[in-house]
Amino acid sequence: MIIATMIGMTVPPSDWVPENVDLKRPNAARVYDYYLGGAHNFEVDRAFAKQIINLVPEVGAAARLNRRFLHRAVRFLASQGVSQFLDIGSGIPTVGHVHEIAKAINPASRVVYVDSEPVAVAHSELLLHDVPNADVLAADLRDPDRILGSEQVRRLIDFTQPVAVLMVSVLHFVPDGEELTTALRRYIETLAPGSAVVISHATPEEDPERLGRAAQLYQSSSTPFITRSHEQIGAFLVGLDLVEPGLVWTPLWLPDSDDNVEHPEQARFYAAVARKP
């Protein structure tokens, strides 16, 4: 079993692994943690991740580029005066947490993390111990009533003021259907003008054969992967105003000076920030 190191403490697995964790099937949040070089994953996740890496060797770099996009998007919005962040599908905590980035620009920033994966929630609870104006909620993106009506959100988020809803690397694990459409509509309708929606989404475009095979492998996990095109991903943001440069490969969205954008399609993720008019 692995040892989890959080907030400067070494915590035995029995103290942080929730009882309802499925150890028989890989989970996307824990696999993604492995891609990023994290330690909060299990042998079943590592074995699955290695299958994906053998098929798509650039997947680790793509995950890191996706994380860098999240950092840039939060910095951008915080610099534009947004001080409230609702991070849905936040995943397992890793370097560069949203509250750290936002608070570096505005110490009064408030953040609620939301995830349905028990390990992600358990580690977030450890991380946020004694962190002011930040909390975590166990919930599914498709349950906006639970999320928006939760004590954590009601206490920290004021929807009469601009809010950034982050859905980074999560929508491709949510099947098409009325549940997803209704949830997205509800989040957007709840937001005040000037709010933002931030998304990133993996895509098979530019390499449909390999990425399609990777998606097939994910069908055996507890979090199947949904392949979508640029047009389908863009449809999630209809009615919002895309921030330039629009819906692009992650390293092309307001890149830092040291970002390598020679082959942006190898990022495998499209990303965008959109504002509510």
Side-chain angles (χ1 to χ4, degrees), residues 187-246:
Y187 294 127
I188 292 171
E189 288 175 349
T190 301
L191 297 176
S195 294
V197 175
V198 179
I199 68 169
S200 72
H201 194 301
T203 180
E205 289 188 356
E206 303 299 328
D207 197 346
E209 181 179 353
R210 285 196 307 145
L211 275 295
R213 287 162 59 195
Q216 288 178 345
L217 285 176
Y218 266 95
Q219 298 305 309
S220 66
S221 75
S222 62
T223 41
F225 181 89
I226 311 301
T227 59
R228 294 187 177 101
S229 66
H230 185 277
E231 181 180 5
Q232 290 171 315
I233 298 166
F236 291 138
L237 301 173
V238 167
L240 303 176
D241 296 334
L242 286 172
V243 173
E244 292 294 335

Side-chain angles (χ1 to χ4, degrees), residues 55-70:
L55 181 61
V56 188
E58 66 272 23
V59 68
R64 292 188 291 274
L65 287 170
N66 183 62
R67 190 73 185 176
R68 287 171 66 87
F69 158 72
L70 172 63

Side-chain angles (χ1 to χ4, degrees), residues 32-33 36-38 40 67 71 91-98 100 127:
Y32 190 72
D33 176 69
L36 290 171
H40 307 134
R67 190 73 185 176
H71 295 173
I92 294 172
T94 187
V95 176
H97 314 292
V98 169
E100 293 175 329
L127 175 74

Side-chain angles (χ1 to χ4, degrees), residues 84-88 90 98 110-114 128 133-137 147 150-157 164 166:
Q84 303 183 100
F85 296 85
L86 180 58
D87 189 356
I88 304 176
S90 52
V98 169
R110 291 169 286 171
V111 180
V112 176
Y113 297 97
V114 181
L128 299 174
N133 293 328
D135 209 339
V136 60
L137 169 68
I147 292 174
S150 67
E151 183 276 331
Q152 295 92 323
V153 169
R154 287 187 288 107
R155 176 168 53 86
L156 290 175
I157 305 297
L166 314 177

